[in-house]
Amino acid sequence: MDKPLQFYSTNLNSENISFHEALLMGQAPDKGLYMPVCIPAIPAAEIDEFRNMDYPGIAYRVILRFLRGEIQDDELMALVKDAYDYEVPLEQVFERKYVMRLDRGPTASFKDFAARMMGRLMQYYLKLENRRLLILTATSGDTGSAVANAFYGLDSIDIVVLFPKDEVTARQRKQMTTLGKNVRVLALDAKFDDCQALVKQAFADPQLAGLRLSSANSINIGRLVPQIVYYFYAYAELAEQGEEILFSVPSGNFGDMMGGVLAMKLGLPVRKFIIATNENNEFPEFLASGKYSKIEPSRNCISSAMNVGHPSNLARLVALYGGMMDEKGILGHPVNMERMRNDIWSVSISDAETRKTIGDAWYRWNLLLEPHGAVGWAGLLRFLGENHRQLADDQLCVSLETAHPAKFPDEIKRITGFDPPLPRSLQGIDDKPEYFSELPNNYTDFKTWLLENYK
Ligand SMILES: *Cc1c(COP(=O)(O)O)cnc(C)c1O
């Protein structure tokens, strides 16, 4: 088999390792994030062959680029077929403007794409090495349920999910707390960023080394690579040969949009990425000014999974554009802003505009959006409004819908007057018993809890 692709840490102070090592490690020892040393290219002719393939077929071709020499072809094929057994609708809204619905997986958010693949790959390597792991993950709603479902019942892995108790909807909570078995859930009197900070502190704590901790957050490279695939899928389904797509990505921790930017670096024809944030506008401000300051504490918006005041994947984006950013958000090397602005346009969408977008989309186009997807769609409409002179009318555009509207029934009912129909994956969940513990926002309590439960 080929020599494995190597991954470096964005803090540039850890050894390079292979994909499967980075997958099991999560964060690098120097607290940086793993990135491929060189980005493998997919030739244009092969990308055009994708147009005759289904989702698992494309996933296999893309993911293999990062796993070469580390898994047998037929084994990877079996994993992607098992992970991607649901549809990925591309809904035409008007002309050549589409919404890609990434909400048909078992927990009805786009995070299923990453979590299902990561869980299967981790299990595959842990079994080979006869090892166990304890996964810690902080969630603003959808990661926790996607990861918990993807790992539920796996015998080599225990999982602990931390969530900010006032920032997730009842349905999001129940998708995590009704599982049981190897899934334990902690409700914290804290914000998402605090949960994330507790998890990071636990990883860095030498007294917890015996627990074999790993992460399933978007800092894990195993989360990122599967998120490259659906950008290629949109191209395969919609584009003419070689045609560039304009993507709009509603963003919080920036894992989703990093998948897109990596797809472009692999060779996908892309006109531009629109990075649409909610009122946590640290990135649009950074792109405009070149100066970065995180937002602490993060602002509470109705697109709650994007309430992030300092996106952890920003260090990866900065690395791709020649800069260096440490885990605290401090820029070590400056970024090539001109190149970044050439590829990316960014906008912050208020809650008021998000709500108006949900209503307009429904009444104007019969397009049902939830708050996250509405931020993406609003971002696309803003860009089209401001740049119509530079764009052809038939510019192909794809805006990502990242959750199923039924996960946000109150907001949608208030605006449209009806309850969005439940997908099969959410039916029955309202009546199941819940299991979770409550903890204060305090590292000592969290550590004690871990040691008591997993020693
Ligand atoms: C996590 C999440 C996002 C944000 O994705 P990032 O990769 O963190 O930018 C957007 N929408 C939904 C529904 C999510 O769950």
Side-chain angles (χ1 to χ4, degrees):
M1 286 206 271
D2 298 327
K3 199 164 158 289
L5 185 62
Q6 294 292 297
F7 291 77
Y8 72 95
S9 162
T10 52
N11 279 355
L12 304 177
N13 217 353
S14 296
E15 278 180 41
N16 292 354
I17 58 179
S18 72
F19 180 90
H20 111 253
E21 291 167 323
L23 172 78
L24 297 182
M25 180 108 66
Q27 197 173 24
D30 64 5
K31 300 190 185 164
L33 310 185
Y34 284 110
M35 280 288 279
V37 164
C38 66
I39 295 175
I42 307 183
E46 183 176 344
I47 295 174
D48 279 307
E49 282 171 31
F50 289 1
R51 295 196 287 165
N52 303 317
M53 292 182 194
D54 59 6
Y55 196 94
I58 297 171
Y60 166 79
R61 292 286 188 97
V62 173
I63 296 171
L64 189 62
R65 268 19 201 223
F66 294 86
L67 272 170
R68 67 169 196 237
E70 296 201 276
I71 192 167
Q72 301 287 347
D73 294 1
D74 53 340
E75 282 162 348
L76 180 59
M77 188 53 114
L79 296 185
V80 293
K81 280 193 174 146
D82 188 49
Y84 301 118
D85 59 354
Y86 52 91
E87 44 164 6
V88 186
L90 281 149
E91 185 175 323
Q92 186 184 22
V93 184
F94 66 91
E95 294 165 2
R96 298 183 76 226
K97 319 299 177 225
Y98 290 80
V99 163
M100 177 156 58
R101 292 201 180 267
L102 302 172
D103 60 0
R104 301 298 153 101
T107 68
S109 91
F110 89 99
K111 295 203 170 66
D112 286 323
F113 284 83
R116 284 170 72 75
M117 197 63 215
M118 181 173 67
R120 281 160 178 75
L121 285 168
M122 278 187 166
Q123 187 191 23
Y124 174 81
Y125 287 114
L126 288 170
K127 277 232 165 101
L128 279 185
E129 297 175 10
N130 202 11
R131 288 171 55 190
R132 292 188 65 77
L133 278 184
L134 173 58
I135 302 274
L136 299 184
T137 188
T139 185
S140 51
D142 292 324
T143 298
S145 55
V147 169
N149 276 270
F151 288 73
Y152 173 68
L154 298 185
D155 45 19
S156 323
I157 301 177
D158 288 304
I159 158 157
V160 176
V161 185
L162 287 74
F163 74 90
K165 76 178 166 59
D166 298 326
E167 287 182 28
V168 307
T169 68
R171 257 180 208 152
Q172 284 178 316
R173 189 185 70 239
K174 284 181 181 167
Q175 286 183 299
M176 310 182 264
T177 57
T178 55
L179 290 166
K181 279 197 189 168
N182 58 333
V183 177
R184 303 284 300 268
V185 183
L186 294 176
L188 271 90
D189 194 2
K191 292 182 152 288
F192 168 68
D193 292 339
D194 302 322
C195 297
Q196 181 107 306
L198 289 178
V199 166
K200 284 187 176 164
Q201 199 172 343
F203 288 136
D205 188 339
Q207 291 176 331
L208 296 182
L211 298 183
R212 302 184 162 280
L213 299 179
S214 187
S215 86
N217 273 30
S218 53
I219 54 180
N220 192 307
I221 187 73
R223 279 275 300 278
L224 200 51
V225 168
Q227 290 175 178
I228 300 171
V229 176
Y230 41 77
Y231 294 92
F232 280 100
Y233 181 74
Y235 175 89
E237 290 287 305
L238 300 176
E240 304 292 330
Q241 192 172 347
E243 188 182 16
E244 293 180 340
I245 303 182
L246 179 69
F247 285 103
S248 183
V249 188
S251 293
N253 242 324
F254 283 25
D256 197 358
M257 74 95 191
M258 266 310 294
V261 173
L262 283 172
M264 178 173 68
K265 303 278 175 193
L266 282 158
L268 183 70
V270 172
R271 174 72 195 244
K272 217 173 190 87
F273 287 102
I274 297 164
I275 306 301
T277 70
N278 60 23
E279 292 168 24
N280 291 282
N281 62 348
E282 66 278 0
F283 182 74
E285 293 289 312
F286 171 57
L287 197 63
S289 70
K291 294 202 192 71
Y292 181 68
S293 37
K294 42 188 175 176
I295 295 177
E296 276 176 313
S298 55
R299 297 171 183 147
N300 271 347
C301 296
I302 56 171
S303 48
S304 55
M306 308 194 317
N307 292 341
V308 181
H310 172 46
S312 29
N313 278 291
L314 191 54
R316 287 192 162 114
L317 186 73
V318 162
L320 278 184
Y321 289 87
M324 191 193 134
M325 179 182 273
D326 71 10
E327 70 283 359
K328 299 188 190 76
I330 298 181
L331 279 166
H333 300 286
V335 176
N336 186 333
M337 295 305 295
E338 203 180 322
R339 244 192 338 123
M340 194 184 266
R341 289 184 192 122
N342 192 46
D343 292 344
I344 296 172
W345 187 85
S346 187
V347 63
S348 160
I349 304 292
S350 69
D351 272 358
E353 187 171 351
T354 306
R355 290 194 170 103
K356 184 170 183 304
T357 303
I358 293 174
D360 288 353
W362 178 248
Y363 292 112
R364 190 147 176 223
W365 296 296
N366 232 8
L367 169 68
L368 188 58
L369 295 172
E370 52 68 57
H372 306 81
V375 167
W377 181 249
L380 175 61
L381 295 183
R382 281 258 214 120
F383 183 82
L384 294 177
E386 288 181 23
N387 296 278
H388 58 93
R389 278 195 207 86
Q390 291 93 297
L391 288 173
D393 284 344
D394 66 351
Q395 170 67 49
L396 180 56
C397 300
V398 176
S399 187
L400 275 49
E401 171 55 291
T402 48
H404 195 284
K407 287 186 108 165
F408 302 88
D410 300 342
E411 202 60 59
I412 291 181
K413 185 160 187 189
R414 191 142 16 98
I415 297 168
T416 64
F418 67 89
D419 232 338
L422 282 184
R424 208 177 329 130
S425 57
L426 293 177
Q427 286 167 16
I429 200 159
D430 292 344
D431 307 321
K432 287 193 190 155
E434 294 187 74
Y435 309 94
F436 63 96
S437 312
E438 296 199 41
L439 281 187
N441 177 18
N442 171 322
Y443 181 66
T444 313
D445 288 302
F446 176 49
K447 179 174 175 174
T448 307
W449 185 91
L450 282 174
L451 288 169
E452 277 171 3
N453 284 281
Y454 292 100
K455 201 60 190 207

